[in-house]
Structures are given as C-alpha cells and as structure tokens.
Amino acid sequence: MKILTLSNCFFFALTLPLTTITLSAAHAQQPVSGYDYLTPEMQEMQIDDFGNPGMLTVDAGEIRFSTAGKNGKSCASCHGDDGSKLDIKHIASYPVYSTALKKPLTLRGQILLCQDERIGGPSLGHSSAEALQLEAFVRRLALGETVNVDVSGEMAPYYEAGKNLFHTRWGQVDIACHQCHVYHAGRTFRGQTLSQGQSNGFPGYRYTAGKAVSTPERITGCLANLRAEPYASDSVEYINLEVYMNARGNGLKIETPGIRY
Amino acid sequence: MQKTRLFRLPLLFAASLIIPTTYATDASSSGQPYYEWKVENFEIKEPLGGLEGNAVRGKAIAGNQSRGNCLACHLLPIPEEPFFGNLGPPLTGIGSRQSTGMIRLHVVDQSRFNPETVMPGYYRTPAQLNRVAKALKGKTWLNAQEIEDVVAYLTSLK
C-alpha cells in the first residue's frame, strides 16, 4: 500500500463508501435509467433538443415518415402528419406479441412491416440507417411515456429466453451481461460508470462511437467488447433480449434519443 | 429508490473521463500452444508450459489497454498510466499477500475464486467458451508467456 499516491488516496476516499451503496442498490433491482449515471454535461446535452446530436436522426426519421413509398402512401397518410395518430402508450409497450406472426414484434419490426405492406416498400434492411431513423422518430413521440411491456401469456417464453441470454457468459472475456450491469452498476470501468444496461434511452446517441444506435446495435457493442461474435440485428436472440431488456426497464421513462457512452 | 439516488454525487466525479470500452483485438495469443493447468488449493503451482516470466514485460502488459488492461478495474503502481477502474481491489502489495501460485490462478481463471466474477478469464480453456469472435476462436486472451510475465510482475509488488 505504500505506493499509493496522494490523488489515488483521494479517489478511494470517494469511492469506498459508494461501493457499499451500489451493491445494495443493484441487488434491490430497482430499474435506474442510464441517464442517472451520466455526467451533468452529458445529461444537459440529452435534454437540450438543439444540443442533442441524436435529434438529427429523429429529424431524418420525421422527413422519411412523410415520404411516399412505392404505392404513393406515406406513413403519415395513416398515422397523421407528425405521427399524431399513433398511440404513444402502445409504442411504449413494444415488443408486443403478434398473433399473425406468432412471435414477438419489436417496434422496428412493426415499422418495417408497415414499410413493406402499407406503403409498398421499398424494403429497408433491418439494420439500415433508414429503419433506425424511423424508429428513432416514432419512439421519440413517446418521450416521457412509461415503458410498459406485457410479458405474460404468450410472451412469457420469449422473456425467459431473453433473461437466459442476459445471464449467459459470452466470448473470450467470458462474462455475462448481468455480472456487469446488475452486480456492478455504479462502479467505474475504464473511466466509464457502469449503468444497469437499460434500453429506455434507445435508439440513442453513443457519444463514444459518435453515432446513433438502436438497442440491438448497443448489445452488439457489448458483445464485441466481450470478444464475442455478435448476432444479426433481426436475430431471434436479439429480439428475445429486447423483450427481456425492455420489460426489465418497465416503469422507466422513454428518453429517445438518450445520450450514452 | 432513495439509495439509488445517492449514486449521483460521487459518480459524476468518477465518470469525467470518456474512453471507448473496446478491448482492442490483439491476436497476441497466436503462435503459442495452449498449455493445460492444474489447480491445487487455489494455486497453480507450475508455471504454464514451464515458461519463465519477466516482470518488466509483465508491467507493460498489465498497463496496456489492448493487452492485459488490468488498470480498467484495478489500481496498480503504474503512475504513467491514468487510473481508470475500481471494479476490482487494488493490486498494490499483492506479492506480499499471496503466493505466486495463487496469483497465477487469479490471472488464469478468477472464476475459480468467484464464479460470478467480472474479471475476464485470461487463460480459460478455449473449448469451454461461448461464441468467441470468429477471429479469436481457440485462442486465450493472453498467451502462456504473457500470463507468466504478468504473474512475475504481480509477485514483485511487495
């Protein structure tokens, strides 16, 4: 211990009491938004519509929302000019169970269905910039709405599957999501504060990557850090993870586009 | 909820450094065979592959973000590298607290001490890993020589 420098001592004085707090809070499992772990500067950036770089993606989505598809209709033809006819409470409840598809449908999945079937295409890739823009615009409409995913009934097995994935060890690093995001939320890892890994800020803007990303892309970021092979953004694994992760955040407010690490 | 609120104050402090989290993919483990290891009483007594560690190289590996990256979670006496994480305990003086064999097991596979650990498995059996990135299949994070170097370095921290 003799080698501790002054500044390190200071740092420990700050962080030691915190350690006890974070562990007890993490196990209490109260959902806490990633926002609460940000620096004040980042929080300010998020709530300032003009300073939030994620708003560029939302704005691009708004334009796309009223752009005609191949059949001459646009999203706005059915959902109102500014999406005003969309039910924001329902948006906050995605993923929902689709009786037609017999599986969970994510918000992005629903948007791509409408894109294909209701405005006649062109089809957008699941991970395309266009799909991200539309999703960001639509979820932004539900800003401040409470996340409220129903995982009873037919959704239950998908929720369980997602929960399993969240508790699976990945990659060469061989660590599971919950080990960082449940046990260590609030501690620092490489100068970043670990959050609970909630999805209420997505699609959001990743400060460190300098771009907007959706929940599946954010998961890919963590899998890459774990030196694991990521999945495709429309894979069953990511859909199940999104079911679990959104439901795990039930009660949080939608913050799209959140500013995040 | 009240407890959670308490997070904020000190954390704002700690999070002021922003660095991308990517563990740079460094194929450092290539070119060396995987040596089996054996645990007795929470120790790996024999050096991996009978290799001899070098503490100077070990310090460089421990401090380097794209190699050992130990500083992401631990305090180490490496003043020239900024200190980043506090997920793990300080490693200062570890050489006077623990045997070399125990230190080796920590670095090779911390999950032997704590199954729920967040410390990466630097030399876990590759065949037991789940969905490793294609480019890294069959490889350990650090190779045997690097493990021995890091062990020699930690052992020297008295």
Side-chain angles (χ1 to χ4, degrees):
Chain A
M1 274 317 221
K2 56 182 184 268
I3 329 170
L4 272 184
T5 63
L6 235 171
S7 66
N8 282 334
C9 285
F10 175 62
F11 190 83
F12 269 95
L14 262 174
T15 50
L16 280 184
L18 170 73
T19 306
T20 348
I21 299 163
T22 49
L23 280 181
S24 52
H27 292 291
Q29 293 284 304
Q30 273 279 3
V32 177
S33 171
Y35 179 86
D36 290 33
Y37 300 88
L38 300 176
T39 61
E41 294 77 26
M42 288 171 78
Q43 291 181 331
E44 231 163 80
M45 188 192 283
Q46 176 174 316
I47 58 182
D48 171 9
D49 282 4
F50 299 98
N52 182 335
M55 287 306 287
L56 292 173
T57 308
V58 171
D59 292 345
E62 182 168 20
I63 294 170
R64 196 161 290 284
F65 197 79
S66 47
T67 304
K70 283 194 182 153
N71 70 6
K73 280 191 190 146
S74 74
C75 316
S77 321
C78 295
H79 297 304
D81 261 352
D82 39 12
S84 55
K85 293 184 190 157
L86 280 167
D87 175 357
I88 55 174
K89 286 213 155 37
H90 203 226
I91 289 173
S93 70
Y94 273 80
V96 298
Y97 189 77
S98 159
T99 38
L101 300 172
K102 296 200 170 48
K103 62 178 188 185
L105 189 57
T106 60
L107 185 59
R108 179 164 305 191
Q110 172 69 63
I111 289 168
L112 293 178
L113 266 185
C114 278
Q115 172 81 21
D116 283 347
E117 293 174 5
R118 303 215 164 93
I119 71 168
S123 285
L124 304 175
H126 192 273
S127 58
S128 64
E130 292 86 349
L132 175 68
Q133 291 161 359
L134 280 171
E135 186 190 359
F137 170 70
V138 168
R139 204 150 189 246
R140 171 73 179 184
L141 296 171
L143 178 71
E145 200 51 53
T146 306
V147 177
N148 183 21
V149 182
D150 180 1
V151 288
S152 62
E154 276 138 326
M155 286 293 276
Y158 301 97
Y159 173 84
E160 287 305 324
K163 185 175 177 180
N164 263 334
L165 291 167
F166 201 79
H167 293 79
T168 297
R169 291 166 177 275
W170 300 99
Q172 202 181 46
V173 178
D174 203 25
I175 306 180
C177 316
H178 76 288
Q179 291 177 260
C180 280
H181 290 301
V182 176
Y183 298 153
H184 292 286
R187 300 246 200 129
T188 51
F189 174 75
R190 270 233 186 145
Q192 294 184 348
T193 303
L194 273 171
S195 73
Q196 291 185 352
Q198 296 285 356
S199 53
N200 60 313
F202 292 88
Y205 184 83
R206 278 196 74 185
Y207 199 90
T208 49
K211 61 176 186 184
V213 301
S214 60
T215 298
E217 285 154 356
R218 187 63 189 86
I219 302 171
T220 287
C222 279
L223 284 178
N225 284 347
L226 296 173
R227 301 175 165 210
E229 192 66 27
Y231 293 93
S233 81
D234 57 350
S235 61
V236 178
E237 286 81 4
Y238 278 179
I239 292 172
N240 290 342
L241 267 170
E242 195 168 331
V243 169
Y244 172 71
M245 288 165 67
N246 284 14
R248 176 176 175 257
N250 275 348
L252 296 177
K253 305 287 184 214
I254 289 179
E255 293 177 18
T256 303
I259 300 287
R260 295 293 190 267
Y261 288 109
Chain B
M1 208 54 204
Q2 211 191 351
K3 273 184 187 158
T4 347
R5 289 284 161 225
L6 286 174
F7 276 17
R8 286 198 178 181
L9 239 151
L11 284 180
L12 302 176
F13 242 88
S16 44
L17 261 171
I18 297 169
I19 309 269
T21 36
T22 349
Y23 297 104
T25 36
D26 178 28
S28 50
S29 51
S30 55
Q32 271 200 23
Y34 179 75
Y35 299 105
E36 299 297 331
W37 39 274
K38 193 168 85 220
V39 183
E40 286 166 82
N41 280 330
F42 292 102
E43 290 189 307
I44 302 174
K45 296 222 166 67
E46 299 301 321
L48 300 177
L51 296 165
E52 194 182 330
N54 173 310
V56 175
R57 282 198 310 250
K59 179 179 179 183
I61 294 165
N64 187 326
Q65 284 191 15
S66 59
R67 300 188 66 202
N69 194 28
C70 318
L71 285 169
C73 297
H74 292 285
L75 172 66
L76 280 165
I78 309 184
E80 59 279 20
E81 297 283 343
F83 165 53
F84 286 139
N86 68 348
L87 256 63
L91 297 179
T92 38
I94 183 89
S96 57
R97 293 196 300 275
Q98 295 194 7
S99 69
T100 306
M102 187 173 270
I103 292 175
R104 185 176 289 112
L105 180 57
H106 282 298
V107 186
V108 163
D109 187 0
Q110 173 64 15
S111 73
R112 297 300 180 109
F113 295 91
N114 171 11
E116 290 279 23
T117 189
V118 281
M119 178 162 156
Y122 286 99
Y123 205 75
R124 271 177 220 164
T125 313
Q128 290 171 6
L129 301 177
N130 171 41
R131 222 181 147 82
V132 175
K134 285 194 183 96
L136 301 171
K137 267 244 162 75
K139 291 176 184 162
T140 53
W141 182 327
L142 295 179
N143 67 32
Q145 184 62 58
E146 291 168 321
I147 296 281
E148 290 307 324
D149 292 345
V150 170
V151 170
Y153 168 58
L154 294 188
T155 306
S156 77
L157 298 178
K158 302 284 186 192

